Amino acid sequence: MTELQHRPTALLVMEERRRDDVYPETVLKEIETLVDLREPLTRERLAEDPAALEGVEILLSGWGAPVLDSVLLGHARDLRAVLVAAGSVRPLTTPEFWARELPIVSAAAANAVPVAEFTLAQVLLGLKQVHRISREIRERRAYPPDPRVAGAYRSRVGLLGLGEIGALVASHLRGFDVEVLASDPVVDAATAAGLGVRLVDLDELFGTCAVVSLHAPLLPETEGLVNGELVARMGIGATLINTARGAVVDEPSVIPVLRGRPDLTAILDVTWPEPPEPDSPLYTLPNVVLTPHLAGALGAERARMGELVAQELRRFVLGQPLRHAVAPDRAHLRA
């Protein structure tokens, strides 16, 4: 390793309950070879004592990151970089932060790994219509004589969104004999083709794919985008997967479609509100599978994000280009 001429001062600020998962001892030891690391704080503790940022050159964070507003930034005059072991930087960035033109790193690439793995598993199960056939067996107490399923042979899989996670799912699907379609207004045809994906409109995506998986960020233009009309276009036995944001689905218009189409299956790892209200039909509809953010990084998987931050920290203190810095004009497109 190149000898460091200067050891920057760093501070870790995030929620305490997930801190040891994201920054386990092995990751902290690596970080401490690169910087002088102060005692960690929570967002609440920092709000009580914003002067704790004085002299801090590198801010490390994760879930429960502080909002970098004018008050905190006023005490962070020496701040040179922010590294976040989480997917989105939207919750902590403000116009005042972007005006400082500081580099900010997101661990979205690391968080994308378990989400893409979960999605791939559900896509393959959906192509075999595992959930639907299992429901029918329980209801009829008999096995179907010759189940008719799409399977992973020349079937169509649709992706709504080709961001970090959607692109990784597309990459995984290249190992299977399926055709992958996608809808994403900010991705051009050449980029999609490089991922082995063909861009189509929403009507074709929902109308022709045996499985549609949602990976769009929650923006004003995507809120409620997946409505009952689109879901009603889905073919017999199709599966809808949502690991993105619950509000991307217009649940009030989708629920009646799911109620009237027992052949469809909805795998909802996210909902809106979250969790659903106690009287929500989502709890009782037999063709809805609810999971509580199981797709995202859990337990030991979270250390992958801390490892990414440690690697980026090494590049930063050695003056090397960062690989996971978020461009200001792209930050709003992250989930």
Side-chain angles (χ1 to χ4, degrees), residues 273-301:
E274 193 168 277
E277 298 292 348
D279 60 349
S280 172
L282 294 177
Y283 288 118
T284 55
L285 282 171
N287 55 343
V288 172
V289 178
L290 294 175
T291 54
H293 278 285
L294 290 185
L298 296 175
E301 293 174 323

Side-chain angles (χ1 to χ4, degrees), residues 44-227:
E44 293 74 19
R45 288 280 306 280
L46 183 61
E48 294 170 359
D49 182 22
L53 281 172
E54 292 177 3
V56 171
E57 297 168 77
I58 299 173
L59 177 65
L60 307 175
S61 193
W63 282 289
V67 178
L68 296 175
D69 56 17
S70 58
V71 174
L72 289 186
L73 290 170
H75 290 274
R77 296 178 182 84
D78 297 319
L79 191 62
R80 296 166 50 208
V82 178
L83 290 80
V84 186
S88 177
V89 299
R90 285 165 61 184
L92 71 154
T93 53
T94 63
E96 292 87 356
F97 170 80
W98 293 116
R100 288 275 295 268
E101 298 184 347
L102 297 171
I104 183 167
V105 163
S106 161
N111 190 53
V113 174
V115 181
E117 292 170 346
F118 178 94
T119 300
L120 176 63
Q122 294 298 340
V123 167
L124 295 176
L125 290 174
L127 289 173
K128 280 287 192 179
Q129 298 188 28
V130 168
H131 294 294
R132 177 184 69 82
I133 292 173
S134 178
R135 290 194 302 270
E136 293 178 357
I137 289 173
R138 286 197 304 270
E139 292 166 3
R140 299 174 183 175
R141 300 196 176 190
Y143 282 14
D146 184 22
R148 311 301 294 177
V149 301
Y153 179 65
R154 299 185 179 177
S155 299
R156 283 185 170 180
V157 176
L159 305 176
L160 178 55
L162 282 176
E164 200 98 46
I165 297 170
L168 187 53
V169 173
S171 176
H172 289 338
L173 288 171
R174 296 184 79 163
F176 298 87
D177 196 1
V178 296
E179 180 184 5
V180 183
L181 308 183
S183 290
D184 191 323
V186 301
V187 172
D188 58 43
T191 300
L195 294 169
V197 174
R198 179 166 65 87
L199 291 178
V200 297
D201 61 26
L202 288 176
D203 286 346
E204 184 173 354
L205 192 79
F206 280 83
T208 69
C209 291
V211 177
V212 175
S213 186
L214 310 183
H215 302 287
L218 181 58
L219 306 170
E221 54 269 37
T222 63
E223 185 173 354
L225 178 64
V226 179
N227 55 29

